[in-house]
Amino acid sequence: MKPVKLTKETYRRISDQKICIVCSNLSYIEEFCGAYPVSKQITYIIENTFGKDIKCSIDSMDICVLRFDGLAQIDWNSTVIVLADDYYMELYQELADSTELHLESVRVYYFANTVMEYEERYLTKFADRPLENQIVFRSGPHASSYVKGMDFADNARALFEYMLKNGYCRKYRLVWIVKNPEEYQAYHRFDNVEFVAFDDAVSDDPVKRDQYYEILFLAKYIFFTDAYGFAKSCRKGQIRVQLWHGCGFKTRVNFSRCERRYEYNIVISEKYKEIHARIYGLREDQVLVTGYPKEDWLFERHREYFKELGIPEAGKYIFWLPTFRSTDERFTELNQYQLEGSTGLPIVENLEQAMVLNRLLAEQNIVLIVKLHPFQDEKAITDQLKASHIVTISNQELARKDIQINQLLGMADAMISDYSSAAIDYLILDRPMAFTLTDVEEYQSSRGFVFDKIEEWLPGARIYDMKNFLEFVTEVGNGVDSTQELRNRIRKALHAFGDGNGCKRVLEALNIEL
């Protein structure tokens, strides 16, 4: 027996009952409490992603937070279950699998929020329409966590650009879901290319809303990086592909099984096929080893972008791509911890150290380019890093100039990173690399890694202090590549390919032909 949808009529049946709510999304709790007078009925919360923090949005103070193994203590004669989540059927299955609950004796309902209501309505509307030669693209995090530039970027952007260049728009209608479609008028010169707003999914304008769902529910293929919830109500025959934004070192935050959330996930090697199947809860046949589309950009050289960004001429360039530890207010659930230094970065923690580094860079005729992570709290990165041979680039600046980071990395003579997936991308070029590791143990306990012994999988020099940092810069300046053998061994294990044909392989793997 499936859960019953909550409506005004079905709610009347349970208006005098206690409610045990199961969810993993705080916004659902808030919308549920706004749609029905249930705040004093909610007596139990099944702890999931948010746990006890959910209680702050509910009036009642007498709420018991339980795990699935605590369900046996509830009196189900006076209590009902309400599933409040995009993936309510997955939660229902978890309940069905629970040894603590005899589901046949429990009344189970689900609450459909505004988006789900629209999706259910349009799924019915388009149920008898055949799928069309349409391909939908989306990148970046969920709409509620919008970051400028990330909604038209990464692997999805690289694949899209490849398809445009090779004439796929002659056969397929290529549609991007972005924040502001008006920003992409340059693409109007192409036939069969469109941009729609992801806010149209809940627009009060029925014309915009109709267009959005017609595109979504008639597309044969849906490509995305990161957020995939917009395509949860997929029709039979539609192919959803999680391109993701990187095969990296860090493990996943907030595990949920994705086997039914999309059909395929792409990776760069058999090693990462094993890893992604495990950390994303996928079958192995869902993980395709193709290489990443955005790695194709690494094999291009765009010196003109350096001029646009004001990067001075130099004999060599080292890119430093530190991952974030603390984020801005939009991504507080991803926070790890705050670094102690005044710069917000490891190793080079203050003005004095930055000036020592700058003098060495000048002597070696090297420019160090520090590219900040899109989630980084940039207020923590002070002006102390600005110097003649140190350049700081933000995500906002790249977005304004429409430059992708991998379009710059092809010009890098060396890279310094820590746990960023960009280091794995760069590894394909077989150039000198180094890793700052002052907080490896703290990061391991805070976020964690996909490798048990992370230091065995770092394809470059180890930097534990300022002395190591300066030694690596000197090696690069003198043309010394002391970790080449180590890097080559790891590169062969982590990269199945060493070319610029990732886009081609993705389309071939999915049988998308001209």
Side-chain angles (χ1 to χ4, degrees), residues 196-255:
V196 299
F198 46 64
D199 289 337
D200 288 350
V202 291
S203 175
D204 293 330
D205 184 339
V207 175
K208 290 183 177 180
R209 200 172 61 243
D210 287 354
Q211 178 195 31
Y212 176 91
Y213 286 107
E214 182 175 21
I215 288 168
L216 185 62
F217 290 139
L218 296 184
K220 287 184 176 178
Y221 299 92
I222 304 173
F223 290 105
F224 40 83
T225 60
D226 201 348
Y228 49 78
F230 77 100
K232 61 182 176 294
S233 300
C234 179
R235 290 177 57 193
K236 184 177 181 180
Q238 288 187 301
I239 304 298
R240 297 164 296 181
V241 185
Q242 173 62 283
L243 300 172
W244 202 229
H245 61 74
C247 288
F249 301 111
K250 297 176 287 188
T251 195
R252 185 183 183 188
V253 174
N254 299 329
F255 176 83

Side-chain angles (χ1 to χ4, degrees), residues 39-54:
S39 60
K40 296 189 183 301
Q41 285 179 261
I42 298 175
T43 309
Y44 306 98
I45 294 176
I46 303 303
E47 186 175 15
N48 204 307
T49 302
F50 293 96
K52 296 183 180 180
D53 292 339
I54 291 178

Side-chain angles (χ1 to χ4, degrees), residues 58-318:
I58 302 175
D59 293 339
S60 173
M61 298 301 294
D62 300 320
I63 297 175
C64 182
V65 180
L66 304 172
R67 294 187 179 275
F68 279 112
D69 57 8
L71 294 172
Q73 67 181 274
I74 296 177
D75 177 6
W76 294 110
N77 292 315
S78 60
T79 308
V80 299
I81 289 177
V82 175
L83 308 171
D85 194 89
D86 285 342
Y87 296 96
Y88 70 93
M89 284 303 298
E90 291 184 11
L91 294 178
Y92 183 74
Q93 189 60 51
E94 284 190 60
L95 289 170
D97 294 340
S98 172
T99 58
E100 302 295 323
L101 184 67
H102 299 291
L103 201 55
E104 63 275 4
S105 63
V106 181
R107 290 163 293 169
V108 183
Y109 297 82
Y110 76 92
F111 168 69
N113 68 354
T114 303
V115 175
M116 190 184 296
E117 288 280 4
Y118 283 136
E119 288 178 351
E120 290 179 349
R121 184 191 310 173
Y122 282 101
L123 270 173
T124 301
K125 179 177 180 178
F126 295 116
D128 297 327
R129 289 267 301 270
L131 298 178
E132 299 177 357
N133 282 342
Q134 293 186 165
I135 299 176
V136 169
F137 299 87
R138 183 164 173 175
S139 70
H142 297 283
S144 60
S145 302
Y146 167 71
V147 176
K148 177 73 173 177
M150 287 186 71
D151 58 335
F152 186 50
D154 220 282
N155 280 312
R157 170 78 178 272
L159 187 63
F160 167 72
E161 298 285 3
Y162 175 88
M163 295 181 79
L164 278 187
K165 182 179 179 180
N166 289 278
Y168 282 80
C169 56
R170 292 195 294 268
K171 179 177 179 179
Y172 295 94
R173 182 186 185 193
L174 308 181
V175 185
W176 267 91
I177 300 177
V178 295
K179 175 66 174 177
N180 300 307
E182 63 275 9
E183 295 179 359
Y184 305 99
Q185 295 183 15
Y187 288 89
H188 289 179
R189 69 184 188 275
F190 294 99
D191 294 331
N192 274 343
V193 174
E194 297 178 43
F195 289 77
V196 299
F198 46 64
D199 289 337
D200 288 350
V202 291
S203 175
D204 293 330
D205 184 339
V207 175
K208 290 183 177 180
R209 200 172 61 243
D210 287 354
Q211 178 195 31
Y212 176 91
Y213 286 107
E214 182 175 21
I215 288 168
L216 185 62
F217 290 139
L218 296 184
K220 287 184 176 178
Y221 299 92
I222 304 173
F223 290 105
F224 40 83
T225 60
D226 201 348
Y228 49 78
F230 77 100
K232 61 182 176 294
S233 300
C234 179
R235 290 177 57 193
K236 184 177 181 180
Q238 288 187 301
I239 304 298
R240 297 164 296 181
V241 185
Q242 173 62 283
L243 300 172
W244 202 229
H245 61 74
C247 288
F249 301 111
K250 297 176 287 188
T251 195
R252 185 183 183 188
V253 174
N254 299 329
F255 176 83
S256 57
R257 190 166 185 83
C258 292
E259 180 180 353
R260 297 180 182 178
R261 299 189 178 188
Y262 42 83
E263 281 61 55
Y264 296 106
N265 171 274
I266 68 165
V267 294
I268 61 175
S269 66
E270 289 293 331
K271 182 64 176 177
Y272 273 108
K273 178 175 183 175
E274 169 196 326
I275 291 170
H276 277 219
R278 170 170 48 86
I279 67 175
Y280 295 104
L282 301 168
R283 304 185 313 274
E284 285 200 3
D285 63 288
Q286 289 181 273
V287 188
L288 307 178
V289 181
T290 60
Y292 276 155
K294 68 175 180 178
E295 288 177 350
D296 295 359
W297 284 327
L298 293 168
F299 294 88
E300 305 170 0
R301 297 181 69 84
H302 293 281
R303 184 169 290 276
E304 68 275 15
Y305 292 157
F306 276 36
K307 293 181 180 179
E308 290 184 43
L309 293 167
I311 298 172
E313 290 286 337
K316 291 183 178 180
Y317 298 96
I318 299 175

Side-chain angles (χ1 to χ4, degrees), residues 17-52:
Q17 299 287 290
K18 297 177 182 178
I19 291 177
C20 174
I21 195 163
V22 187
C23 80
S24 59
N25 191 317
L26 181 57
S27 66
Y28 260 88
I29 294 281
E30 295 169 341
E31 195 164 345
F32 179 44
C33 291
Y36 298 98
V38 295
S39 60
K40 296 189 183 301
Q41 285 179 261
I42 298 175
T43 309
Y44 306 98
I45 294 176
I46 303 303
E47 186 175 15
N48 204 307
T49 302
F50 293 96
K52 296 183 180 180

